[in-house]
Amino acid sequence: MANLTGVNKSLIVFAALVVVLAGIKSASVIIIPFILAAFIAIICNPFIKFFARYRIPKGIAVMLVVLIIVGLGVSLGGLVGQSINDFSQQLPEYKTQLKEEFVWLVDLASQYNILINKEQLINMFDPGKMVDVATDMLTGLGGVMANMFLIILTVVFMLFEGPMLSNKIHMALDDPDSKMKQIDRFLESINSYLAIKTLVSLATGIIAAFYLWILDIDYFVLWGVLAFMFNYIPNIGSIIAAVPAVLLALITQGPLVAGLVAAGYLTINTVMGNIVEPKFLGKGLGLSTLVVFLSLIFWGWLLGTVGMLLSVPLTMIVKIGLEASAEGKWVATLLGSGEDAAKNN
């Protein structure tokens, strides 16, 4: 009878989860700007604290931060938007040239007795679709940023309410001491992760754009912004960001320059991802590599491009929430990297 009760409880929890996810998916137009605003506020909060050290009134500090965000967003958005429009107009021609390049590679391979069906290769591995993935994701994020006024307004209220929110949560919880420790640990982890990830991503985008400018690759600013934004996406983000620049170099300047672009991206991402970022992030946020990749797919399906960019922090919210529940600790253990379990043993 007890087993039956446990099964019924599990079914109810699963059914409730499906309903909640369906609701989030349906209300994504409202939820996505709110989530984006929340993480922008988290990134901006250290700047508010920095201004507070110099006894600058909070209202002025918030306005300064907002003006900086709006200024950067408008200037960069205009520049990138124009590049996207120009690139979109050239895209059909680029796709045709890409197919010709692939046919040339197939013919070259046939000289070394490597026989490949041209049509089958293009159908299975259409290079034009690879470019579409990156540009569609960037355009999708641009569509979200069209709600800039709503996002900025939400950020302003969050920055003002930030210090009071902690006190409100403290008063609302039944066991405030233990749960506040978990909340503080989460906020500290997310603050650290987003701050370091933002700086590393910014450096990655600037270096990539400068390198492409040296090689005289068209739309180098667009590809730099793409490298910056997609560096938030774990595992495959840097690969997706590199594809359009490499293929464009192949079309406009030939295989040698394309190889240099690919080698440059590989070097930049290796140094930033495997040396610089781990040095500051340490062992990361305790998620296994498989979970990071699966969370990328799940949050991307649920919330689109914003979900992919914020897949790691959102998964951390779920993990820490499960750790606070006796019934959910086993799920949190599965989401973890396994290092904590090894220490306990």
Side-chain angles (χ1 to χ4, degrees), residues 224-297:
V225 172
L226 199 70
F228 161 69
M229 294 174 58
F230 280 40
N231 198 59
Y232 284 95
I233 301 177
N235 300 327
I236 66 169
S238 56
I239 298 173
I240 297 174
V243 168
V246 173
L247 293 179
L248 185 62
L250 178 66
I251 295 169
T252 58
Q253 301 197 37
L256 178 61
V257 177
L260 290 174
V261 172
Y265 267 90
L266 181 62
T267 303
I268 293 168
N269 290 308
T270 300
V271 172
M272 289 295 179
N274 298 328
I275 299 176
V276 176
E277 192 172 302
K279 182 179 179 180
F280 294 101
L281 279 177
K283 294 181 180 179
L285 297 179
L287 296 175
S288 72
T289 305
L290 177 61
V291 168
V292 168
F293 180 72
L294 293 177
S295 69
L296 172 69
I297 298 173

Side-chain angles (χ1 to χ4, degrees), residues 186-203:
F186 161 71
L187 291 176
E188 183 180 350
S189 298
I190 296 303
N191 269 310
S192 175
Y193 172 80
L194 285 178
I196 294 171
K197 193 70 174 178
T198 299
L199 291 175
V200 172
S201 299
L202 183 61

Side-chain angles (χ1 to χ4, degrees), residues 115-329:
L115 302 179
I116 304 173
N117 188 300
K118 298 177 184 178
E119 295 298 328
Q120 187 176 6
L121 177 66
I122 292 175
N123 290 333
M124 293 176 60
F125 187 69
D126 187 353
K129 290 181 180 178
M130 297 174 66
V131 178
D132 286 340
V133 169
T135 52
D136 288 348
M137 290 180 70
L138 197 58
T139 304
L141 186 64
V144 174
M145 296 305 289
N147 296 317
M148 178 63 78
F149 178 76
L150 175 62
I151 293 172
I152 293 298
L153 196 62
T154 308
V155 168
V156 170
F157 285 115
M158 285 181 175
L159 290 175
F160 276 112
E161 288 282 336
M164 291 181 285
L165 181 62
S166 178
N167 296 330
K168 289 179 180 178
I169 295 174
H170 192 90
M171 295 172 62
L173 295 174
D174 296 330
D175 186 12
D177 291 333
S178 63
K179 293 186 178 180
M180 282 304 296
K181 288 179 181 178
Q182 293 171 337
I183 293 170
D184 290 340
R185 180 167 64 87
F186 161 71
L187 291 176
E188 183 180 350
S189 298
I190 296 303
N191 269 310
S192 175
Y193 172 80
L194 285 178
I196 294 171
K197 193 70 174 178
T198 299
L199 291 175
V200 172
S201 299
L202 183 61
T204 301
I206 292 172
I207 294 171
F210 182 71
Y211 181 69
L212 294 175
W213 173 73
I214 292 174
L215 295 177
D216 195 26
I217 305 298
D218 295 337
Y219 312 111
F220 62 89
V221 175
L222 176 61
W223 310 136
V225 172
L226 199 70
F228 161 69
M229 294 174 58
F230 280 40
N231 198 59
Y232 284 95
I233 301 177
N235 300 327
I236 66 169
S238 56
I239 298 173
I240 297 174
V243 168
V246 173
L247 293 179
L248 185 62
L250 178 66
I251 295 169
T252 58
Q253 301 197 37
L256 178 61
V257 177
L260 290 174
V261 172
Y265 267 90
L266 181 62
T267 303
I268 293 168
N269 290 308
T270 300
V271 172
M272 289 295 179
N274 298 328
I275 299 176
V276 176
E277 192 172 302
K279 182 179 179 180
F280 294 101
L281 279 177
K283 294 181 180 179
L285 297 179
L287 296 175
S288 72
T289 305
L290 177 61
V291 168
V292 168
F293 180 72
L294 293 177
S295 69
L296 172 69
I297 298 173
F298 172 77
W299 292 111
W301 164 77
L302 190 65
L303 299 173
T305 304
V306 173
M308 296 180 75
L309 294 176
L310 300 176
S311 59
V312 170
L314 289 170
T315 305
M316 279 302 301
I317 294 174
V318 175
K319 181 174 180 289
I320 293 174
L322 290 170
E323 286 175 347
S325 168
E327 295 84 359
K329 279 187 176 180

Side-chain angles (χ1 to χ4, degrees), residues 44-53 58 61-63 65 159:
C44 293
N45 194 53
F47 295 101
I48 302 297
K49 292 181 179 179
F50 172 79
F51 287 128
R53 292 177 190 172
K58 189 169 184 179
V62 170
M63 292 308 299
V65 172
L159 290 175

